[in-house]
Amino acid sequence: VLKSLSIALIHYPVVDRNGAVITSSVTNLDLHDIARSARTFGVKRYFVVHPSDDEQALNRRIIRHWQSEFALGVHPTRKPAVSLISLEKDFDSVLATIESEEGKPLVVATSARKHPTKSILESEIKTKREEQPVLILFGTGYGLHESWLDRIDAFLPPISGADDYNHLSVRSAVAIYLDRLIH
Ligand code: SAM
């Protein structure tokens, strides 16, 4: 049986369009939209990582609302998806959670830019999951800051399309990758 596949949405350190390090805000849409992809493709946990206690308290309230009786009446399919969300303060907490349950994960990142030195193919992920859990990192803002490099084991190839334009929303990138990774 395969070890788990988890995803993490990173809000710090990420870069802005000038390459400066920023902390991006969690957007509501990323919470439930990516949670639906996670539920669809059998992801064990969708980690939403943000350093601000206030932001995470707000996100917790939003998630609780979606799981309330009232919300269930309106959007019954949302609860199974948002139940996969784990709000974490930092990456070490994400790793600690996975390690406590299944052992050290393979940390795989995604980017619209190529990273030929440390790359892994979608087709290799399933084989890796026979040995260890796999965690896929997604960025926000204009992508993961380069300081993530020494915490990442490998990058998946960028999603490319008709020409060199490939600035997808993180929500679209998650769905495309997950479909490839589990089939
Ligand atoms: N803030 C925008 C949004 O999501 O609405 C910009 C997208 S966000 C920074 C970019 C992230 O989405 C990257 O860190 C990566 O995880 C993913 N992404 C976007 N385009 C991609 C592509 N062509 N290939 C791989 N990942 C991509």
Side-chain angles (χ1 to χ4, degrees):
V1 71
L2 295 180
K3 300 260 183 174
S4 67
L5 177 65
S6 293
I7 59 177
L9 187 63
I10 304 298
H11 295 84
Y12 171 80
V14 294
V15 292
D16 64 11
R17 75 171 154 278
N18 306 317
V21 178
I22 56 163
T23 303
S24 66
S25 294
V26 178
T27 53
N28 219 321
L29 196 54
D30 287 348
L31 288 176
H32 62 79
D33 190 283
I34 296 176
R36 285 208 294 259
S37 292
R39 178 63 188 81
T40 301
F41 295 108
V43 165
K44 181 174 183 183
R45 272 208 183 80
Y46 164 29
F47 294 101
V48 176
V49 192
H50 199 286
S52 156
D53 293 335
D54 291 351
E55 283 230 8
Q56 292 292 46
L58 172 63
N59 295 326
R60 200 162 290 115
R61 272 208 311 281
I62 293 168
I63 291 165
R64 278 222 190 89
H65 162 70
W66 284 336
Q67 294 176 321
S68 68
E69 285 315 304
F70 164 74
L72 268 182
V74 181
H75 298 290
T77 57
R78 202 169 263 180
K79 181 166 182 178
V82 296
S83 306
L84 297 179
I85 297 174
S86 289
L87 301 175
E88 299 284 358
K89 191 174 178 56
D90 53 32
F91 190 57
D92 287 340
S93 316
V94 173
L95 290 179
T97 302
I98 300 174
E99 282 169 22
S100 67
E101 290 169 349
E102 284 183 278
K104 197 170 165 3
L106 180 77
V107 178
V108 176
T110 59
S111 166
R113 292 181 294 277
K114 286 185 177 23
H115 290 80
T117 47
K118 281 181 169 185
S119 69
I120 188 168
L121 298 175
E122 284 99 335
S123 56
E124 295 175 86
I125 296 292
K126 251 187 189 170
T127 314
K128 291 285 184 186
R129 287 179 59 193
E130 286 165 10
E131 303 302 321
Q132 63 182 128
V134 171
L135 172 66
I136 316 272
L137 305 187
F138 291 91
T140 50
Y142 273 70
L144 297 171
H145 182 250
E146 63 189 11
S147 56
W148 281 97
L149 266 177
D150 52 19
R151 309 201 72 171
I152 289 165
D153 297 312
F155 279 86
L156 286 168
I159 296 165
S160 59
D163 56 30
D164 59 359
Y165 181 96
N166 72 341
H167 303 277
L168 295 167
S169 79
V170 66
R171 294 164 299 284
S172 301
V174 168
I176 292 168
Y177 275 123
L178 289 181
D179 181 70
R180 292 176 177 176
L181 293 180
I182 73 146
H183 288 126

